Amino acid sequence: MKITASETQATTLTRLLAAADRQHPVTITYLKEEKDQAGKKTGRLVETIRTVEVYDVRTTKAGNVTLRAMDRQSGEARTFRLDRIQAYTVHRTAFTVARPATDEPAVTLPVASAPATVIGREIARDDAAYYADRYAILAAA
């Protein structure tokens, strides 16, 4: 088990992306925002443990890095903020939950092996054709 407090967010993200590239599920200890009986957020964070299959990483307008993943328990797509992941364990088994259909074209990306690759991936997300040569250099590092 890796404790996220003992590593940088870049390292955590790199390891989670490597797991996604290899299609290995991850069990995370996560702080989710509690909801009352009416479904309204209370602002209180509660700890939960989930086994998920990460398939995408995004950055919100507020600057939070989020992971899109399939929750093995519910079989539904979920979003997890990277800064709320307390610990994680990468498994050696394969993905089992089907991904949601997407309208975005499939892009083959190199395995994230270093923080520079993660940064390159975020940059390349906006204009893959323009950044393709620079991205290849980052991936080779």
Side-chain angles (χ1 to χ4, degrees), residues 70-85:
M70 299 303 294
D71 184 351
R72 280 197 164 178
Q73 183 178 0
S74 67
E76 297 176 354
R78 300 278 186 227
T79 302
F80 301 93
R81 280 182 38 183
L82 184 63
D83 62 330
R84 290 188 181 173
I85 296 175

Side-chain angles (χ1 to χ4, degrees), residues 11 16 20 22 31 44 57 72 78 85-86 97 106 108-109 116 126 136:
T11 301
L16 293 175
R22 293 182 184 108
L31 295 176
R44 184 170 159 246
V57 177
R72 280 197 164 178
R78 300 278 186 227
I85 296 175
Q86 301 296 299
V97 182
T108 303
L109 299 173
D126 295 332

Side-chain angles (χ1 to χ4, degrees), residues 16-34:
L16 293 175
L17 283 174
D21 287 336
R22 293 182 184 108
Q23 294 193 355
H24 292 302
V26 181
T27 298
I28 60 173
T29 303
Y30 183 75
L31 295 176
K32 72 175 191 170
E33 194 164 0
E34 184 181 57

Side-chain angles (χ1 to χ4, degrees), residues 55 58 68 70 77 97-105:
Y55 65 88
R58 304 255 171 137
R68 295 283 297 153
M70 299 303 294
V97 182
R99 307 287 163 274
T102 179
D103 296 335
E104 297 177 15

Side-chain angles (χ1 to χ4, degrees), residues 91-117:
H91 301 283
R92 295 181 184 164
T93 58
F95 282 180
T96 58
V97 182
R99 307 287 163 274
T102 179
D103 296 335
E104 297 177 15
V107 178
T108 303
L109 299 173
V111 173
S113 58
T117 307

